[in-house]
Amino acid sequence: MDRVNATTPSASSADDPARAAFAALRTPEGAQLLAELRDHDPADELATATRLRRTHPAELVSAALGQARLRQRAVAKFGAEDAYRMYFTPNGVEQATRTSVAAHRAARFAGLGVRSVADLCCGIGGDAIALARAGIAVLAVDRDPLTAEVARANAEALGLGELIEVRCADVTEIDTAPYDAVFVDPARRGGRGRIFDPEAYSPPLSWATAAALKAPRAALKIAPGIPHEAIGPEAEAEWISDGGDVKEAVLWYGEGFAPGAFRATLLPSGATLSAPAPLPAPPVGPVGRYLYEPDGAVIRAHLVADLVERCGGQLVDETIAYITSDEPYSSPYVAGYEITDELPFNMKRLKALLRERQIGVLTVKKRGSAVEPEELRRRMKLSGPGSATVFLTRVAGAPTMLIGHPLG
């Protein structure tokens, strides 16, 4: 059988240094140290460690400093209020779902009447926490004993222990029949970093899909770069961005979802664009007065053609996700720009134009160009009170520079 989660050590926490260190952090002395280290500067860590080791065991100080670093990193995903009450592992911080995304997913489940979820491969419990806060009872399962202990500690720290049961077990051995829904978050990182082959996930996507199809409803968290051909016809595929950054994709199964549909959801607004099937390739034409840059989730979901149809525009190139038109168009799914200049790609001409217009602040965007934005800005030697946006792209196959400014 394929290896699924991390291996299950049989040793007790006393025989496992990592688990023993975590247990020490949960003592009154460990809690005091973590509170003291909340706002410490990592640049002063050596001096801080030296000072603390005068009054605390060296192993506890090392564990507390490590946990303090993880909590500081976790603020970006969980917010300060939760992050400084929670516990983390290095992999847990890296792989945990951002709170806004987890809350969106939990809300979709709750809106369909789901009241219990089997969370398989729960990690440090980020999704279980969001589900519980939506009023859903959760069985959170992870095969790694330390990770399971951290998830349990997090449920207790946030006052959700009555709704979240944490179990250290192999997810392939869990009976999910008693639950309204299943959520699977396969590990997508290994010893050599990020894993791109869905069948190399742990557990593999094929196993997770089979588990999902057995449940009344299910969701699988996957990497946003998954090839569309790897998505079965039974799934509704949703790509989610937060603040303009694409965070993940989710495959939804069961009653209440739309098999075969593609969806793009933008957070924090919650705006959602969906289509039952891909539209034909959109038209291509010359650059008009306006240029529209679709959100990354729209691009990943292959819904650019839908936006082209909505705004009555066209693409600047058949391979580039920039939409152009002569009419203004407002939509949460695009950022709009008014284009003032269209030039063949030429660094000297761009530099002369920017100097003439006294452009001191330049935003560089690119699609279909190998030029790095920082390198371009460095070569322009910008100076002046003005600002502009330059797009390095292709228009009808030709390398092109478009200069303009954001609408609104």
Side-chain angles (χ1 to χ4, degrees):
M1 186 178 72
D2 289 334
R3 178 178 177 271
V4 285
N5 310 50
T7 56
T8 305
S10 59
S12 68
S13 61
D15 301 319
D16 183 335
R19 293 172 67 195
F22 178 64
L25 289 177
R26 302 196 67 203
T27 64
E29 184 180 9
Q32 177 190 342
L33 266 179
L34 286 174
E36 183 177 341
L37 290 169
R38 173 177 171 134
D39 299 318
H40 93 287
D41 185 348
D44 298 329
E45 191 162 295
L46 181 58
T48 302
T50 301
R51 174 176 57 81
L52 292 176
R53 283 171 180 159
R54 297 186 188 119
T55 53
H56 301 281
E59 295 82 0
L60 178 58
V61 171
S62 295
L65 284 167
Q67 189 62 222
R69 289 194 300 272
L70 294 175
R71 284 181 167 182
Q72 290 178 346
R73 286 173 54 194
V75 167
K77 286 188 174 182
F78 291 90
E81 184 176 351
D82 282 351
Y84 286 112
R85 290 189 289 165
M86 294 171 66
Y87 298 90
F88 301 95
T89 64
N91 285 340
V93 170
E94 187 71 32
Q95 298 183 31
T97 302
R98 181 179 292 263
T99 292
S100 56
V101 178
H104 163 74
R105 189 163 42 233
R108 287 202 76 182
F109 270 140
L112 292 171
V114 170
R115 291 295 173 261
S116 62
V117 170
D119 177 1
L120 308 181
C121 311
C122 69
I124 55 94
D127 282 283
I129 290 165
L131 291 164
R133 284 177 167 165
I136 297 171
V138 185
L139 170 66
V141 183
D142 202 281
R143 192 172 179 176
D144 178 65
L146 173 61
T147 302
E149 288 180 17
V150 171
R152 187 176 296 109
N154 287 336
E156 294 171 0
L158 299 180
L160 300 170
E162 292 187 2
L163 280 170
I164 301 175
E165 174 195 348
V166 179
R167 189 180 302 175
C168 182
D170 185 329
V171 298
T172 64
E173 298 172 359
I174 297 297
D175 178 12
T176 62
Y179 299 90
D180 295 340
V182 167
F183 172 64
V184 189
D185 180 6
R188 295 180 300 282
R189 285 185 176 273
R192 296 184 178 181
R194 193 180 301 275
I195 297 171
F196 297 97
D197 177 7
E199 283 308 294
Y201 291 173
S202 179
L205 182 60
S206 57
W207 180 90
T209 301
L213 291 172
K214 294 176 185 176
R217 296 183 178 91
L220 308 184
K221 175 181 171 180
I222 55 174
I226 186 171
H228 280 224
E229 57 268 24
I231 300 171
E234 311 90 348
E236 173 191 308
E238 179 181 29
W239 281 261
I240 303 171
S241 68
D242 190 1
D245 294 328
V246 181
K247 295 301 180 184
E248 65 178 61
V250 189
L251 303 183
W252 297 95
Y253 299 84
E255 185 179 351
F257 304 112
F262 293 157
R263 177 184 297 269
T265 298
L266 282 55
L267 300 178
S269 70
T272 293
L273 180 69
S274 63
L279 291 174
V284 177
V287 178
R289 180 176 178 181
Y290 301 101
L291 189 77
Y292 300 102
E293 179 184 29
D295 184 271
V298 173
I299 297 172
R300 293 282 194 177
H302 293 186
L303 294 174
V304 173
D306 187 270
L307 288 181
V308 172
E309 185 176 80
R310 287 173 181 238
C311 75
Q314 55 201 8
L315 298 181
V316 302
D317 185 278
E318 63 180 359
T319 64
I320 303 293
Y322 283 140
I323 304 169
T324 188
S325 76
D326 286 319
E327 300 296 329
Y329 174 68
S330 178
S331 165
Y333 307 108
V334 298
Y337 300 83
E338 184 171 10
I339 298 302
T340 57
D341 300 89
E342 178 181 353
L343 307 171
F345 183 83
N346 185 298
M347 288 286 199
K348 289 184 178 180
R349 287 187 64 181
L350 178 62
K351 185 176 181 179
L353 185 147
L354 297 176
R355 182 186 298 117
E356 176 187 336
R357 297 186 183 171
Q358 297 184 316
I359 300 299
V361 178
L362 184 67
T363 300
V364 182
K365 293 178 172 288
K366 68 167 193 168
R367 285 202 179 129
S369 172
V371 177
E372 291 301 323
E374 287 303 322
E375 172 64 12
L376 183 141
R377 273 191 289 265
R378 185 186 65 80
R379 292 178 62 179
M380 292 300 102
K381 298 180 180 179
L382 302 168
S383 176
S387 63
T389 300
V390 60
F391 296 85
L392 307 178
T393 188
R394 292 193 302 272
V395 173
T400 303
M401 302 182 296
L402 304 176
I403 297 94
H405 55 82
L407 293 176

